[in-house]
Amino acid sequence: MTLSPLDDLPIHQAPEVMRHVATSDRNFYDRYYFNCHPGSDELMLIVGMGQYPNLGVTDAFAVVRHAHVHRVVRASRELGLDRMDTGVGPFRIEVLEGLKRLRVVLEPNEHGLSFDLTWTGAIPATLEPRHFVRWQERVIFDSVRMAQTGNWSGSIVLDSRTIPVDTWMGTRDRSWGIRPVGEPEPPASR
């Protein structure tokens, strides 16, 4: 067991260091998902970041569609010891005010898409009912999701063109738990 900065906070939920989730299921995940648009079909941006502690991986992506441009940026890295580190290549997510304001950044990179955006929730985050599915005696889904609508501010740079973002709309979700990710596991014997 290895300590991380999270272990210094009073947030433990299981008799484990915070770096270890309470299940050894390889499919445990913890992720962010955002979408951002001006309220028209002019531009659509989708951003996601996930951690997969039992696979030792974190990854992120952004996809934008503007006019005839469709651009995707992806990044992945070893998760490492500090799960509070949301940096993945040029991506990072900063929680400025829990359940209310987040900063989502894609630094300039070779793909011609970058942004520095702040999300502000317009309504309180809503916890959805738990998702639970058992298949052939095995739990394949056991996850929780919260959803929230809100507004964006900041800017998007696409091929050297800066697009100001001022009170654009969007939704976000945060989900965590067990769901099938990556390569499938072998089926259980009968």
Side-chain angles (χ1 to χ4, degrees):
M1 282 196 226
T2 304
L3 293 170
S4 76
L6 277 171
D7 286 300
D8 218 7
L9 300 170
I11 57 175
H12 291 82
Q13 298 282 322
E16 292 282 356
V17 295
M18 286 303 297
R19 150 168 205 265
H20 294 280
V21 295
T23 176
S24 62
D25 192 307
R26 71 185 293 278
N27 291 321
F28 184 88
Y29 73 100
D30 202 346
R31 73 169 193 155
Y32 294 90
Y33 171 89
F34 301 92
N35 64 52
C36 171
H37 57 86
S40 68
D41 61 0
E42 173 188 347
L43 184 146
M44 179 72 171
L45 174 68
I46 299 172
V47 181
M49 193 279 291
Q51 293 183 347
Y52 308 91
N54 295 334
L55 296 175
V57 173
T58 186
D59 57 22
F61 74 92
V63 59
V64 69
R65 184 180 179 282
H66 178 60
H68 298 291
V69 176
H70 180 101
R71 188 73 40 85
V72 177
V73 180
R74 297 178 185 179
S76 185
R77 70 168 171 85
E78 183 178 325
L79 182 56
L81 299 178
D82 186 359
R83 291 196 48 214
M84 290 177 60
D85 178 2
T86 62
V88 184
F91 291 93
R92 76 178 180 278
I93 296 175
E94 301 170 11
V95 177
L96 303 175
E97 184 180 348
L99 302 179
K100 184 67 175 167
R101 284 186 336 113
L102 293 92
R103 183 174 178 215
V104 182
V105 177
L106 175 58
E107 298 289 348
N109 57 75
E110 67 272 20
H111 303 290
L113 171 63
S114 61
F115 47 79
D116 189 340
L117 299 167
T118 299
W119 159 267
T120 302
I123 63 170
T126 301
L127 187 63
E128 295 180 0
R130 190 174 196 145
H131 304 122
F132 184 88
V133 176
R134 186 182 299 274
W135 182 71
Q136 292 185 350
E137 305 305 316
R138 177 125 202 258
V139 174
I140 60 170
F141 274 94
D142 187 6
S143 62
V144 174
R145 176 189 319 270
M146 67 169 208
Q148 189 175 32
T149 59
N151 299 298
W152 290 97
S153 60
S155 62
I156 298 169
V157 178
L158 183 58
D159 294 330
S160 302
R161 177 179 169 222
T162 300
I163 302 165
V165 174
D166 184 29
T167 63
W168 284 19
M169 296 175 273
T171 60
R172 77 172 183 122
D173 80 44
R174 272 279 289 121
S175 61
W176 56 95
I178 297 167
R179 70 177 185 155
V181 295
E183 298 176 9
E185 291 192 58
S189 60
R190 287 268 188 206

